[in-house]
């Protein structure tokens, strides 16, 4: 497939036929949504509202970046929502333990713990899928139940809350702070996306990942370690979940067994809307970020316009992923 100066092709489009519509479509849809939002409610286009919308999309956008790696490799991870709840629960319990006297060191250690736990959960998913030779859908469905059950056990069916008010005040700026007027979550979205794009498009691992997703047999005959590539993709997914958790905890300061429910659907939807093929072999990092923004903007427009009940947001997101798949299939046939 030819593209818009994409790293996968390295080609610059010369005519309209050379443009990869699967790559361009998410950005066109985003522009149309912004226009629709303006007509629905002029306040929608305000800087304050747009910054708020993008900030709220941070959790799904960052998790979806990891999902882009997994899906590009030909895998799938349904456990990310439950993983968020599990990692967040252990992080808050560690913060409440006061294991380190210095609050700043305790907070730093808790963030490292979250990253380690996320990577470990991702590694478990990867090994079960590759070494265990279990279909990704079944493997991650099983780990979803495990992570959700462990969270319920840790919380005893209730909520786990950050108790120390001093720690809450120290941690709060991680989500509510800003850098030169730009909310920190937005900064983290783009830093994470830039890093993910560099690895996927400019490194040997990224090329191997796309090769494995395109054809596992061809990649194996080419000397690529398919199991290693896919396992690392799941570890990347776990790390992205951990980064989302680090942003999530200071926002609410609490977690429970219901935390992250349906986040896997939203993450997969963002990936598909962004132009990444569910069959694997194609990964679009910036399209995924755009897809996450689209999902949050759709919900924001629904709330501001009062045309459709906000309780139907889940249904709308489900419809979006079906429409996105139909559009992908029609573009592939051209």
């Amino acid at each position: 497939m030819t593209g818009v100066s994409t790293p996968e092709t390295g080609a610059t489009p010369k005519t309209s036929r050379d443009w990869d519509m699967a790559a361009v479509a998410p950005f066109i849809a985003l522009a149309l949504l912004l226009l629709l939002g303006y007509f629905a409610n002029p306040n929608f286009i305000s800087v304050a509202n747009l910054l708020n919308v993008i900030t709220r999309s941070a959790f799904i956008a960052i998790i979806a970046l990891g999902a882009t790696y997994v899906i590009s490799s030909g895998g799938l991870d349904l456990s990310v929502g439950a993983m968020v709840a599990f990692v967040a629960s252990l992080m808050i319990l560690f913060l409440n333990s006061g294991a380190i006297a210095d609050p700043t060191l305790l907070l730093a250690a808790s963030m490292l713990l979250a990253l380690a736990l996320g990577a470990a959960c991702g590694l478990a998913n990867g090994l079960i899928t590759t070494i265990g030779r279990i279909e990704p859908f079944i493997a991650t469905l099983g780990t979803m139940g495990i992570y959700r059950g462990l969270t319920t056990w840790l919380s005893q069916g209730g909520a786990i809350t950050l108790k120390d008010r001093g720690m809450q005040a120290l941690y709060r700026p991680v989500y509510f702070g800003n850098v030169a007027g730009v909310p920190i979550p937005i900064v983290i979205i783009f830093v994470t996306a830039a890093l993910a794009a560099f690895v996927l498009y400019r490194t040997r691992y990224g090329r191997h990942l796309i090769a494995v997703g395109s054809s596992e047999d061809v990649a194996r005959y080419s000397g690529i370690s398919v199991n290693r590539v896919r396992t690392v993709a799941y570890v990347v997914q776990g790390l992205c979940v951990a980064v989302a958790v680090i942003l999530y905890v200071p926002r609410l300061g609490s977690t429970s067994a219901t935390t992250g429910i349906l986040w896997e659907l939203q993450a997969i939807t963002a990936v598909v809307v962004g132009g990444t093929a569910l069959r694997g072999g194609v990964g679009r990092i910036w399209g995924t970020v755009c897809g996450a923004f689209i999902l949050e903007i759709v919900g924001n427009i629904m709330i501001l316009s009062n045309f459709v009940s906000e309780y139907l947001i889940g249904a709308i997101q489900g419809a979006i992923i079906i429409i996105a798949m139909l559009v992908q299939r029609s573009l592939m046939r051209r």
Side-chain angles (χ1 to χ4, degrees):
M1 296 177 69
T2 56
V4 187
S5 296
T6 60
E8 293 93 342
T9 63
T12 301
K14 298 177 181 179
T15 68
S16 60
R17 292 184 178 181
D18 293 329
W19 291 80
D20 185 348
M21 290 308 298
V24 177
F27 299 95
I28 296 175
L30 180 61
L32 293 175
L33 274 176
L34 292 174
L35 188 63
L36 174 63
Y38 173 75
F39 286 113
N41 189 324
N43 293 326
F44 167 82
I45 209 68
S46 67
V47 174
N49 183 63
L50 290 179
L51 286 177
N52 179 55
V53 169
I54 297 175
T55 300
R56 290 173 56 186
S57 71
F59 310 129
I60 299 303
I62 293 170
I63 292 171
L65 289 172
T68 302
Y69 272 63
V70 172
I71 291 173
S72 297
S73 72
L76 188 67
D77 193 343
L78 299 178
S79 70
V80 293
M83 197 188 301
V84 167
F86 177 59
V87 174
S89 297
L90 290 176
M91 183 181 184
I92 293 176
L93 288 173
F94 181 75
L95 287 170
N96 288 340
S97 71
I100 301 175
D102 188 321
T104 303
L105 290 178
L106 177 61
L107 180 57
S110 70
M111 291 180 179
L112 291 175
L113 175 65
L115 291 171
L117 289 170
C121 290
L123 179 62
N125 286 344
L127 292 177
I128 293 170
T129 301
T130 57
I131 304 301
R133 298 185 178 277
I134 300 176
E135 287 296 321
F137 178 88
I138 300 300
T140 57
L141 188 65
T143 55
M144 177 177 70
I146 292 172
Y147 299 145
R148 191 72 68 186
L150 288 173
T151 303
T152 303
W153 173 69
L154 289 170
S155 65
Q156 294 297 295
I160 299 175
T161 304
L162 186 57
K163 299 176 181 178
D164 189 335
R165 292 187 179 276
M167 180 58 70
Q168 291 178 1
L170 179 65
Y171 199 174
R172 183 178 173 84
V174 172
Y175 180 83
F176 293 99
N178 64 81
V179 177
V182 180
I184 289 177
I186 296 179
V187 175
I188 294 178
I189 289 174
F190 285 99
V191 170
T192 306
L195 180 60
F198 175 79
V199 173
L200 185 61
Y201 301 146
R202 301 296 181 186
T203 67
R204 178 181 297 179
Y205 172 76
R207 293 191 293 273
H208 288 179
L209 183 77
I210 297 301
V212 169
S214 298
S215 175
E216 180 179 333
D217 291 335
V218 171
R220 184 175 287 108
Y221 293 145
S222 300
I224 297 173
S225 176
V226 173
N227 287 350
R228 180 184 63 82
V229 168
R230 282 193 170 143
T231 300
V232 171
Y234 281 98
V235 172
V236 170
Q237 173 73 91
L239 288 171
C240 287
V241 167
V243 173
V245 166
I246 290 171
L247 286 176
Y248 177 82
V249 170
R251 182 189 181 192
L252 297 178
S254 179
T255 186
S256 69
T258 60
T259 296
I261 286 181
L262 292 183
W263 281 18
E264 55 278 347
L265 171 63
Q266 295 178 55
I268 293 171
T269 303
V271 173
V272 174
V273 169
T276 296
L278 268 181
R279 73 187 190 291
V282 177
R284 307 189 192 280
I285 295 297
W286 297 109
T288 292
V289 173
C290 182
F293 291 168
I294 287 173
L295 292 183
E296 195 62 42
I297 286 172
V298 167
N300 188 248
I301 292 175
M302 290 171 65
I303 293 172
L304 291 178
S305 65
N306 292 322
F307 290 154
V308 183
S309 171
E310 62 182 282
Y311 298 111
L312 289 174
I313 290 178
I316 297 298
Q317 290 173 344
I320 288 174
I321 192 172
I322 294 173
I323 294 171
M325 286 300 300
L326 292 173
V327 171
Q328 272 194 14
R329 183 166 296 179
S330 65
L331 291 174
M332 287 172 58
R333 289 175 178 172
R334 292 185 177 182

